[in-house]
Amino acid sequence: MIPQQQIIFDLDDTLIYCNKYFDLILDQFYETLQEWFAGERLTTEEIREKQIEIDVAGVNKLGFASEHFPRSLIETYLYFCRAYKREPVKTEEEQLLLLGRSVYDQEVEPYPGMVETLESLSKAGHILYLYTGGEPAIQQRKIDKMKLASYFEDRIFIRQHKNVEALEEILRLNQFDRSVTWMIGNSLRTDISPALEAGIHAIYLKQEKEWVYNMVELQQKPASVMYTINTLTEVPRVIHESIQIHQQKKTLG
């Protein structure tokens, strides 16, 4: 029999799609700036590098605030205005603000196997938790749309800053048994690294296209284990096989 586990899921790009919508908006942003700066032969790569620089700096400072992404587009635009001595145009700034905000109006789409994975773990008797970064109203809309409360009930945590301090607070206040607790997520920085620092187990859902902000070097504690998977549906198998291996080692002494 598999012992009951406490399994914490990330939301964006773990259970539902997120970054692909940001990429769609960014593609429009690159095209727009190239049109406005047509005489300067501004390249997509130049725009991308500057936007990433501004984006990462903002997230480090402000966390996952909804206005940060639209502002990063405007700040990138203003940077190139200064670089090429082009007077900023208020209507252009407003256009970029609306473009950036439109990312939060995109349809909520589940990852393949979301329901199957959550059903499998629930039926196996495990307790599921949801831990997501962002503004409550935006994240709650996604949760409601996907009817995720049917799996997580009131075990849902939304934090603007998603780091080891935030995870530690959740683990401590809710009295998690760390030896049977797992963090499932797509971000090395905000999901996996804090989990390993906190001494819980982690499963990294590897991304084809990784956001620069998410890339960090991991520090693992001896008590924790980490696995890397390519599809969400691998989660139940990985957890159950890991438990079985641990039980066998205990039996062998």
Side-chain angles (χ1 to χ4, degrees):
M1 182 173 174
I2 301 294
Q4 185 184 71
Q5 306 290 296
Q6 297 172 300
I7 305 171
I8 307 170
F9 277 91
D10 170 51
L11 179 62
D12 293 327
D13 286 313
T14 298
L15 295 178
I16 64 171
Y17 284 101
C18 179
N19 282 343
K20 77 173 186 178
Y21 300 120
F22 282 88
D23 289 339
L24 288 171
I25 297 301
L26 285 171
D27 285 342
Q28 294 178 51
F29 174 63
Y30 303 147
E31 291 177 8
T32 299
L33 254 61
Q34 285 175 312
E35 288 176 10
W36 292 348
F37 291 86
E40 312 299 342
R41 297 184 180 180
L42 192 57
T43 67
T44 297
E45 192 56 35
E46 287 178 290
I47 303 170
R48 179 185 291 114
E49 286 181 1
K50 181 51 63 175
Q51 192 276 331
I52 288 173
E53 177 188 320
I54 292 170
D55 192 26
V56 169
V59 174
N60 279 330
K61 183 179 180 181
L62 303 173
F64 298 103
S66 63
E67 283 299 285
H68 163 66
F69 178 67
R71 286 302 312 174
S72 77
L73 304 188
I74 294 172
E75 290 300 325
T76 303
Y77 162 73
L78 293 175
Y79 168 84
F80 286 112
C81 283
R82 292 190 296 271
Y84 293 110
K85 295 180 172 53
R86 180 184 187 275
E87 192 67 28
V89 180
K90 194 66 179 175
T91 55
E92 291 179 346
E93 291 186 48
E94 291 170 353
Q95 181 179 332
L96 294 179
L97 186 64
L98 291 175
L99 176 64
R101 285 174 174 171
S102 71
V103 75
Y104 304 113
D105 298 326
Q106 303 297 318
E107 191 59 43
V108 183
E109 181 184 356
Y111 255 50
M114 182 194 78
V115 172
E116 176 187 343
T117 300
L118 297 178
E119 285 283 349
S120 174
L121 293 168
S122 295
K123 288 178 179 177
H126 305 307
I127 305 174
L128 306 184
Y129 300 80
L130 188 64
Y131 170 40
T132 180
E135 293 187 359
I138 293 173
Q139 298 306 94
Q140 192 63 51
R141 180 182 72 86
K142 300 175 187 177
I143 291 166
D144 294 342
K145 188 74 174 179
M146 291 290 99
K147 297 181 172 54
L148 291 175
S150 61
Y151 298 103
F152 299 104
E153 298 178 356
D154 62 346
R155 301 181 299 275
I156 296 172
F157 310 102
I158 303 173
R159 299 290 185 272
Q160 187 160 319
H161 289 274
K162 203 175 177 200
N163 49 34
V164 68
E165 290 79 16
L167 180 59
E168 275 286 353
E169 180 186 47
I170 290 169
L171 294 173
R172 187 178 66 255
L173 293 179
N174 294 275
Q175 300 181 326
F176 278 79
D177 178 350
R178 301 189 191 211
S179 67
V180 295
T181 300
W182 297 75
M183 180 73 219
I184 320 297
N186 69 292
S187 171
L188 293 174
R189 179 186 290 271
T190 62
D191 298 320
I192 307 307
S193 180
L196 296 178
E197 286 190 51
I200 65 174
H201 311 308
I203 298 179
Y204 170 49
L205 180 57
K206 190 173 178 61
Q207 303 292 298
E208 287 185 19
K209 186 178 179 182
E210 188 58 270
W211 184 25
V212 173
Y213 176 76
N214 285 334
M215 302 306 294
V216 293
E217 189 172 332
L218 300 176
Q219 299 292 328
Q220 188 167 346
K221 290 189 176 181
S224 61
V225 297
M226 174 190 166
Y227 296 92
T228 299
I229 60 175
N230 294 305
T231 60
L232 185 60
T233 51
E234 295 176 67
V235 170
R237 174 186 59 79
V238 168
I239 290 177
H240 292 164
E241 286 182 359
S242 176
I243 295 168
Q244 289 169 348
I245 291 170
H246 179 69
Q247 288 177 325
Q248 288 170 2
K249 287 181 178 178
K250 284 180 66 177
T251 302
L252 295 172

